[in-house]
Amino acid sequence: MSTLKVIVVGSVDGRVSDIFKNLTVLHVKNNFSFALISGDLFADPSKTSPEQEDDIRGLLQGSITVPLTTYFSVGRHSLPARVIEKLKSSDGELCENLYYLGNRSVLKTSGGIKIVALGGLLDNNIIAEHSKDRYAPFFTPTDPKSLQSANEADILLTSIWPSSIRKGSKISVPDGSTEPPCSDLVSELCAKLRPRYHLSSSGFFYEREPFFLPNPAEGDLATRQITRFISLAPFGNMQKEKSIYAFTIGTKSGPPTNIPPGTTSSPFVSAVKRPGQDQHYSRFAMNDHRPSKRSRRLPPGPEDCFFCLANPNVVTHLIASIGNDCYLTAARGPLPASTTYPQLRGSTHLLIIPLSHCPRLIDIPEPAVRSSTMAEMHRYRRALQSMVDRESKGKLGAVTWEVNRQQGIHAHWQFLPVSNEMIEKSLVEAAFRVEAENERYPAFEAVTEEEDLADERDSFKLWISGRGLLSSDDERSKTDKNQEKRLLLPLPIDMRFDLQFGRRVMAKLLVLQDRINWKECLQDETEETQDVEKFKLAFHDFDFSLDDSEAK
């Protein structure tokens, strides 16, 4: 994957000579791949000064040099008549290196970056028609809908803002400023195309926190793309607000490997609740909700499920890694205390969560997605086990468990380190078996990997991994290689089951009974963030979601 440098300018409003002199200096220092004008390149024809007329003449005659490939669209007022005449005769090339995108266009640059442009203001008086004049400073309601057929974009360029872009944001506009025109149609276009950058212009500089956008083709849960919305101030403004912005962009898009600080859910996700649903579920509460039979509610959808990245209240600072089909996050209110595992760095209680919204992995409808999700979740589990083994110099193994029930909300696995000494002495397995017997649950069954993957019963699943596990012939293994044992506790559909069973067993085993209730173990956001960052450093060599160049 190659990386390109891009530079963007706000409304130039006729200061053509000045901006291209400025870009020449910046381009010499940075070697940009191309430039974009996010607002009006030219002044309003009715207010054009003699100096600005000279600049237009200079562009057309070649006396003003455009130093690099530059794209512009129509802004909020008309283009000069001489500019339109030249564009019509030259197929959109105003002069060397300066190209017109039109008021509705899709372009793929020579470097492979896909740009979708929607110029002008919305004209609601024209219904069910495309704008026929590609130089006019307006678009019809049909134009943004037709651009949705592009399916995706690396950069979306619009003259007006998407409505509700500030929803869920803590960043305010400058005092005394007026927000530019906006439209739901632009919101819908952004949500559909899922651009990496959405660029616009305004009377001030505004950069929203990055936000997740769902992939409609894969359902609301496949929320892996991060979008940055940036609106630039006019070039040369008196307030010295930022009017030029540069960034790098890869030629290949994919799931983000790092979550930028402050990232929010999509501002375009509907906040309307399903009928009968007025209860929130905690994303990291490990399923401690248990509605009574007389007050059963509809299960939350992706927009209300706290394991879903599409949820408006998603807590992104706990996320440590995002794969293609699942992601890894620190548990809120972790069972281990900060002193429980001094050998390890950062978060030690982790959750592995599929992107697909389903109560059980076998409920993922598409067979290919189901298979790849299961494979990737096991890959994360084994990567965590390898990290724990290395960090502890072979002293620690791990347990992972899952409550696999049809009545569940969103499937997930919980991962905890545990001493290899306890594993070798069969204390971990015994603790789960004894607690199940005390609760009069069915007995645990030892299963093979094939039986585990094929079993469709509701169950509590347990994976124990560490050195010194019993081999298949019940002799102690002398190898240092981590081994694994799988146990399954069948759960009859009408049986009451404590959803905190796994945490309760491990709390007793680790002598952490005072930490059974996750709500009594909450950290503040600063502590959580610090622990996650420490964990990411420890996990870096094992995180397969990173580029090969960054991880072993």
Side-chain angles (χ1 to χ4, degrees):
M1 179 184 73
S2 59
T3 301
L4 306 179
K5 293 182 180 179
V6 180
I7 187 165
V8 188
V9 184
S11 287
V12 177
D13 287 327
R15 301 184 64 175
V16 173
S17 178
D18 291 342
I19 187 55
F20 288 122
K21 286 178 183 177
N22 202 316
L23 286 180
T24 297
V25 174
L26 294 172
H27 182 50
V28 168
K29 294 180 180 179
N30 297 279
N31 191 29
F32 293 105
S33 298
F34 61 87
L36 286 166
I37 309 298
S38 66
D40 287 285
L41 176 57
F42 301 102
D44 186 332
S46 64
K47 302 175 182 178
T48 302
S49 68
E51 292 80 7
Q52 291 167 341
E53 289 284 359
D54 289 341
D55 279 355
I56 295 173
R57 189 177 303 108
L59 276 178
L60 298 179
Q61 295 177 353
S63 60
I64 293 179
T65 300
V66 180
L68 75 164
T69 300
T70 302
Y71 301 102
F72 72 101
S73 179
V74 65
R76 297 176 194 162
H77 51 246
S78 301
L79 295 171
R82 282 189 295 170
V83 169
I84 295 175
E85 182 180 352
K86 177 60 184 292
L87 291 173
K88 286 181 177 179
S89 65
S90 61
D91 196 26
E93 183 177 3
L94 187 61
C95 62
E96 185 177 3
N97 283 336
L98 187 57
Y99 301 92
Y100 178 61
L101 294 172
N103 56 3
R104 184 187 77 249
S105 66
V106 178
L107 169 77
K108 195 158 193 177
T109 70
S110 59
I113 300 300
K114 190 174 185 179
I115 302 172
V116 175
L118 180 68
L121 300 168
L122 173 63
D123 186 346
N124 278 310
N125 294 321
I126 303 177
I127 307 298
E129 288 186 25
H130 295 299
S131 54
K132 297 177 181 178
D133 183 355
R134 67 189 304 261
Y135 307 101
F138 63 82
F139 63 88
T140 73
T142 305
D143 290 326
K145 293 178 180 178
S146 67
L147 284 175
Q148 291 187 25
S149 62
N151 293 322
E152 60 182 12
D154 296 303
I155 297 172
L156 174 61
L157 184 66
T158 63
S159 295
I160 66 175
W161 283 17
S163 56
S164 74
I165 187 62
R166 293 180 58 204
K167 179 181 176 182
S169 172
K170 297 179 181 178
I171 299 175
S172 58
V173 300
D175 291 340
S177 299
T178 302
E179 286 191 28
C182 61
S183 170
D184 287 340
L185 294 170
V186 178
S187 298
E188 293 168 9
L189 180 62
C190 181
K192 172 65 176 179
L193 299 183
R194 303 169 69 240
R196 287 185 275 172
Y197 286 87
H198 184 168
L199 306 173
S200 190
S201 61
S202 47
F204 50 88
F205 176 75
Y206 180 81
E207 181 175 9
R208 191 199 187 280
E209 303 95 331
F211 55 90
F212 288 108
L213 277 177
N215 185 343
E218 300 178 16
D220 284 347
L221 268 296
T223 316
R224 301 194 299 272
Q225 183 61 58
I226 288 178
T227 295
R228 291 169 169 82
F229 176 79
I230 299 161
S231 185
L232 291 158
F235 175 68
N237 65 88
M238 297 297 293
Q239 294 75 28
K240 298 190 185 227
E241 294 258 359
K242 186 181 291 188
S243 61
I244 298 178
Y245 188 98
F247 60 89
T248 59
I249 186 169
T251 54
K252 184 179 180 182
S253 178
T257 57
N258 289 299
I259 308 299
T263 300
T264 76
S265 61
S266 169
F268 312 133
V269 173
S270 173
V272 177
K273 297 181 179 179
R274 298 183 180 189
Q277 183 181 324
D278 58 4
Q279 178 177 339
H280 281 280
Y281 296 86
S282 173
R283 179 172 185 264
F284 299 97
M286 281 72 77
N287 287 332
D288 64 349
H289 47 272
R290 187 183 296 171
S292 67
K293 290 183 179 179
R294 286 184 294 178
S295 61
R296 291 199 185 278
R297 305 178 187 276
L298 291 174
E303 70 280 0
D304 292 295
C305 170
F306 279 48
F307 285 116
C308 291
L309 299 184
N311 187 294
N313 298 303
V314 65
V315 185
T316 57
H317 69 272
L318 291 172
I319 298 174
S321 175
I322 300 180
N324 292 317
D325 298 291
C326 61
Y327 69 99
L328 182 66
T329 181
R332 205 162 204 184
L335 176 60
S338 58
T339 56
T340 304
Y341 299 115
Q343 315 97 311
L344 303 181
R345 290 179 278 172
S347 307
T348 54
H349 189 168
L350 287 306
L351 307 182
I352 307 171
I353 304 174
L355 293 174
S356 298
H357 181 68
C358 58
R360 304 176 300 171
L361 296 179
I362 62 170
D363 296 323
I364 298 176
E366 301 84 359
V369 176
R370 184 190 317 135
S371 176
S372 61
T373 299
M374 288 183 176
E376 189 171 72
M377 291 181 72
H378 281 295
R379 191 177 179 189
Y380 265 121
R381 181 173 64 84
R382 292 185 176 117
L384 288 170
Q385 290 165 184
S386 297
M387 180 209 70
V388 166
D389 183 73
R390 187 183 75 173
E391 291 281 298
S392 67
K393 296 180 171 58
K395 299 295 185 182
L396 296 175
V399 294
T400 306
W401 70 87
E402 173 192 17
V403 179
N404 178 54
R405 302 197 81 178
Q406 296 180 49
Q407 302 101 311
I409 304 298
H410 191 127
H412 63 281
W413 298 352
Q414 296 192 51
F415 175 94
L416 273 179
V418 67
S419 76
N420 268 321
E421 183 180 2
M422 286 185 176
I423 292 174
E424 184 176 355
K425 293 179 179 179
S426 298
L427 296 178
V428 177
E429 180 178 346
F432 278 93
R433 288 187 180 277
V434 169
E435 192 71 19
E437 185 177 347
N438 290 341
E439 294 291 335
R440 298 184 179 180
Y441 293 154
F444 273 97
E445 303 172 6
V447 293
T448 65
E449 181 177 358
E450 292 74 20
E451 290 170 338
D452 178 18
L453 295 174
D455 199 304
E456 297 187 358
R457 293 176 293 175
D458 281 6
S459 60
F460 176 88
K461 292 187 176 184
L462 177 68
W463 298 271
I464 305 173
S465 173
R467 303 187 182 195
L469 277 169
L470 287 175
S471 61
S472 57
D473 59 0
D474 286 345
E475 293 181 0
R476 294 288 175 183
S477 172
K478 303 301 182 183
T479 180
D480 282 341
K481 184 179 180 181
N482 273 346
Q483 299 162 59
E484 186 169 277
K485 189 163 190 177
R486 299 172 181 235
L487 298 171
L488 183 148
L489 190 158
L491 299 178
I493 193 168
D494 58 346
M495 187 187 83
R496 291 182 61 85
F497 180 74
D498 179 10
L499 299 176
Q500 293 297 311
F501 176 73
R503 183 178 178 118
R504 180 156 49 84
V505 172
M506 291 304 298
K508 291 180 179 180
L509 189 66
L510 299 174
V511 196
L512 295 170
Q513 290 93 326
D514 59 331
R515 297 180 66 85
I516 288 178
N517 187 342
W518 71 274
K519 295 178 182 177
E520 296 178 0
C521 307
L522 291 174
Q523 303 168 284
D524 61 37
E525 184 173 330
T526 300
E527 292 173 320
E528 290 175 336
T529 302
Q530 289 174 347
D531 278 353
V532 170
E533 291 306 312
K534 291 177 184 176
F535 167 80
K536 287 161 71 173
L537 288 174
F539 190 57
H540 182 275
D541 289 352
F542 303 90
D543 190 352
F544 55 85
S545 72
L546 301 175
D547 291 338
D548 292 339
S549 60
E550 297 181 4
K552 295 180 181 177

